[in-house]
Amino acid sequence: MPKTKKIMEERMNKLNIGLFSASLVSFLAMSVPGYAYMWQGVEITPRVGLEETYDSNITSASSNKMSDMLTNATLGLEIKKEEKNSLAQLDMSLARQMFAQHSEFDSNSVNLNGRYSVDLSKYGSLTVEDNFSRADSFSTFNQQFGGTSGLYTRKINDFDTEYKHDVSTELALRLNYHNTLSYYPSSIQSDSVSHAIGAGVDYSFSSANMVSADYKHITNDFRPGPMAHVNEVTANYRHYFTPQLFSDIAAGVDMINNYLKVNKSYPLVKATLTRNTDRNTTFSVSLEQKHELATTSEDVFSNWVLSGKVVKQLKERLKGDATVFYGSGKYLGSGHKLVLGGVDAGVNYEITKNMNWRCGYLFSKQNTFAGEGDYTKNMVYTGIVLRF
């Protein structure tokens, strides 16, 4: 009886926190006239958010599934400084995730996203971007696909930089570097470090027809564990049907020296149709088939992915969006297969100039053909975000 009483008290405390936070955010939304502050040319935008979610399978388990209500309280800060030839942006957020019934899974998450772009000269530009996340669950279908499911702390840092030089109005050269640091609990999998260094060339035959070619050298190093590397060569053709609608068709080869030091070449193909810069509707749909170094085991992951996203302005203040994903893959060494499908759809409503409300539904299902790692997840969520 005392244990039951303690659990009920914990649930009531969390409910009271949620109600208090909702009331506070609503009060601020009504009392703050605008958002963003200027300080010596720097635009600063604080934000707070509160989201309630029902999750039918909080651990993404195939058996003994647990459902729960989650409260996510978020504090964030956006910093932006724009000058004539440069743009610097930083987005920081700290979130507290609280479970109504399973408080042992309560956790904190951190996201840091920074981007800097600068025109070094009339012909050369540099872009640097870094994204760090610490969370107990994946935030996108691409991250889930081929990943180790479950609730555990993942720390991932992605760094990208690219230098572009315009040789002429038709010809441009690119140099780029990408680095990913992935940290996991030792009971789940080894940490890994990935590097990718590459170069590319772009050529425009006209405003409607462009081609590009790229080379990348990619390495993935498990710590502890072996290292493997890939030499990737691709060619891409882009065609603009209208100024807003264009297609990309890419083909290439991945020359993989795997974790067992066996060399083999595999084809790479991708097709994408994109519509952007449209005031009311943007969308993108792509189909990709590739072989890549697995980041969860010492293997090569052969997979194809069909994905799409659409964003539509339904009313002046109401915007809808949907993301769909379907991927099928096989680990060539172990023969392990998996299929992941999902959809995430929702609407955003601008309550006031500085307050947005969102609600949505997410469904994901994974089959592994070996019976391990299968799961089905349904999530219904609603929340508000205030910028001031």
Side-chain angles (χ1 to χ4, degrees):
M1 187 72 176
K3 184 177 180 180
T4 303
K5 183 178 179 181
K6 183 178 179 181
I7 293 174
M8 291 301 296
E9 288 177 349
E10 289 179 352
R11 293 182 185 176
M12 288 303 298
N13 288 335
K14 290 179 180 180
L15 178 61
N16 289 334
I17 291 173
L19 292 174
F20 173 76
S21 301
S23 301
L24 177 61
V25 171
S26 299
F27 171 76
L28 289 171
M30 300 304 174
S31 59
V32 178
Y35 62 87
Y37 303 92
M38 296 300 297
W39 177 74
Q40 296 187 356
V42 179
E43 183 179 301
I44 303 172
T45 308
R47 69 176 182 273
V48 295
L50 184 70
E51 183 179 89
E52 292 294 324
T53 302
Y54 167 77
D55 191 333
S56 68
N57 190 352
I58 60 175
T59 58
S60 300
S62 57
S63 59
N64 300 319
K65 296 188 296 183
M66 294 182 289
S67 62
D68 208 341
M69 292 292 299
L70 293 73
T71 298
N72 283 283
T74 305
L75 293 175
L77 186 67
E78 300 169 24
I79 302 174
K80 179 180 177 180
K81 182 175 177 62
E82 187 171 5
E83 297 182 335
K84 182 179 179 181
N85 297 318
S86 66
L87 174 63
Q89 296 173 296
L90 178 64
D91 189 298
M92 302 175 286
S93 65
L94 173 65
R96 176 66 177 172
Q97 186 177 66
M98 297 171 288
F99 292 79
Q101 301 181 47
H102 302 281
S103 58
E104 66 272 21
F105 295 129
D106 288 1
S107 65
N108 297 318
S109 64
V110 178
N111 283 280
L112 299 172
N113 305 302
R115 179 181 173 86
Y116 177 70
S117 59
V118 58
D119 294 330
L120 301 175
S121 67
K122 182 179 179 180
Y123 305 103
S125 61
L126 177 69
T127 301
V128 180
E129 187 169 359
D130 190 78
N131 299 295
F132 171 80
S133 67
R134 180 195 182 278
D136 283 8
S137 59
F138 293 119
S139 59
T140 67
F141 293 121
N142 282 317
Q143 292 175 341
Q144 294 177 46
F145 186 50
T148 306
S149 59
L151 276 178
Y152 59 89
T153 302
R154 308 162 173 88
K155 291 184 288 185
I156 299 175
N157 191 87
D158 281 308
F159 174 83
D160 277 289
T161 184
E162 181 177 82
Y163 171 75
K164 184 177 180 181
H165 182 79
D166 295 323
V167 179
S168 66
T169 55
E170 296 85 13
L171 181 65
L173 305 177
R174 291 177 283 107
L175 292 174
N176 48 69
Y177 171 73
H178 175 81
N179 170 261
T180 300
L181 306 175
S182 304
Y183 301 97
Y184 304 92
S186 57
S187 58
I188 300 296
Q189 67 177 75
S190 298
D191 299 337
S192 67
V193 178
S194 176
H195 301 275
I197 185 168
V201 57
D202 304 323
Y203 187 82
S204 301
F205 291 99
S206 67
S207 60
N209 296 285
M210 306 171 187
V211 295
S212 61
D214 283 270
Y215 166 77
K216 289 182 183 179
H217 179 74
I218 306 165
T219 63
N220 193 70
D221 182 12
F222 282 108
R223 299 184 178 180
M227 183 175 68
H229 65 84
V230 181
N231 290 294
E232 181 179 284
V233 180
T234 57
N236 182 79
Y237 169 64
R238 173 173 290 187
H239 176 70
Y240 280 87
F241 302 98
T242 70
Q244 293 81 32
L245 181 66
F246 62 91
S247 64
D248 284 291
I249 299 175
V253 60
D254 283 310
M255 295 164 278
I256 299 179
N257 186 324
N258 67 19
Y259 298 102
L260 298 176
K261 305 307 176 186
V262 176
N263 288 288
K264 194 169 183 180
S265 298
Y266 303 94
L268 163 68
V269 294
K270 183 176 182 179
T272 304
L273 182 65
T274 305
R275 175 169 180 161
N276 59 17
T277 67
D278 183 86
R279 185 175 181 180
N280 295 315
T281 305
T282 64
F283 72 80
S284 177
V285 59
S286 69
L287 177 65
E288 182 176 17
Q289 195 281 328
K290 61 183 178 180
H291 294 71
E292 59 188 336
L293 298 175
T295 57
T296 57
S297 61
E298 300 163 14
D299 212 334
V300 175
F301 189 42
S302 172
N303 63 88
W304 68 267
V305 171
L306 175 65
S307 61
K309 182 174 183 178
V310 60
V311 179
K312 185 172 181 59
Q313 194 73 38
L314 303 171
K315 297 289 185 180
E316 182 180 357
R317 293 188 174 187
L318 184 65
K319 181 182 294 185
D321 61 83
T323 299
V324 295
F325 182 95
Y326 185 87
S328 176
K330 177 182 179 180
Y331 291 92
L332 299 185
S334 66
H336 182 67
K337 300 178 182 179
L338 65 89
V339 171
L340 175 68
V343 59
D344 185 3
V347 293
N348 289 276
Y349 182 72
E350 185 181 296
I351 300 174
T352 66
K353 182 180 178 181
N354 55 324
M355 183 179 184
N356 281 25
W357 167 75
R358 176 173 175 81
C359 72
Y361 168 73
L362 182 147
F363 168 82
S364 62
K365 182 179 179 63
Q366 178 171 284
N367 291 319
T368 60
F369 297 97
E372 298 178 2
D374 293 4
Y375 69 86
T376 301
K377 180 188 286 284
N378 291 275
M379 296 176 64
V380 180
Y381 55 88
T382 183
I384 51 179
V385 175
L386 168 67
R387 290 175 171 82
F388 58 95

